[in-house]
Amino acid sequence: MADQDDHVEVTELRDERGQVVRVPTALLRSGPPPAFFDDDVRAQEAAAAEAALSQYSPEDIAKARAWSRSIAAGLDNAMAAGAA
């Protein structure tokens, strides 16, 4: 799979329709994170993330988002160049 990281070990499984699904092997070993199925845990983690972000100014957050977008764009461009 072209979008698969070469450093992530995957296991191929078949779903109920017989289609192949590639799942990170580590996820099969450890299971999904606690918030995957538990709405309360997910809400607690979201509140903790929001509290952590609230200590930064809107300008700092905007700068970080712009930086993150530029990194993602660079990675997308590198992937596209490698696939060409």
Side-chain angles (χ1 to χ4, degrees), residues 4-11 22-29:
Q4 182 65 46
D5 185 346
D6 292 335
H7 303 290
V8 175
E9 183 181 342
V10 295
T11 300
R22 295 170 60 95
V23 179
T25 303
L27 182 63
L28 296 174
R29 289 187 189 125

Side-chain angles (χ1 to χ4, degrees), residues 3 10 12-13 19 26 29 31 43 48 50 54 57 65 70 73 75 81 83:
D3 62 346
V10 295
E12 290 186 351
L13 305 171
Q19 295 182 346
R29 289 187 189 125
E50 181 135 353
S54 71
S57 71
R65 286 182 174 156
S70 71
L75 292 171

Side-chain angles (χ1 to χ4, degrees), residues 64-84:
R65 286 182 174 156
W67 176 82
S68 177
R69 283 189 203 105
S70 71
I71 295 296
L75 292 171
D76 288 344
N77 291 339
M79 291 292 291

Side-chain angles (χ1 to χ4, degrees), residues 19-71:
Q19 295 182 346
V20 174
V21 178
R22 295 170 60 95
V23 179
T25 303
L27 182 63
L28 296 174
R29 289 187 189 125
S30 64
F36 190 79
F37 295 110
D38 190 326
D39 291 339
D40 292 334
V41 173
R42 191 167 38 252
Q44 290 170 1
E45 289 182 2
E50 181 135 353
L53 282 174
S54 71
Q55 63 184 315
Y56 298 98
S57 71
E59 293 80 19
D60 287 343
I61 292 172
K63 285 180 190 176
R65 286 182 174 156
W67 176 82
S68 177
R69 283 189 203 105
S70 71
I71 295 296

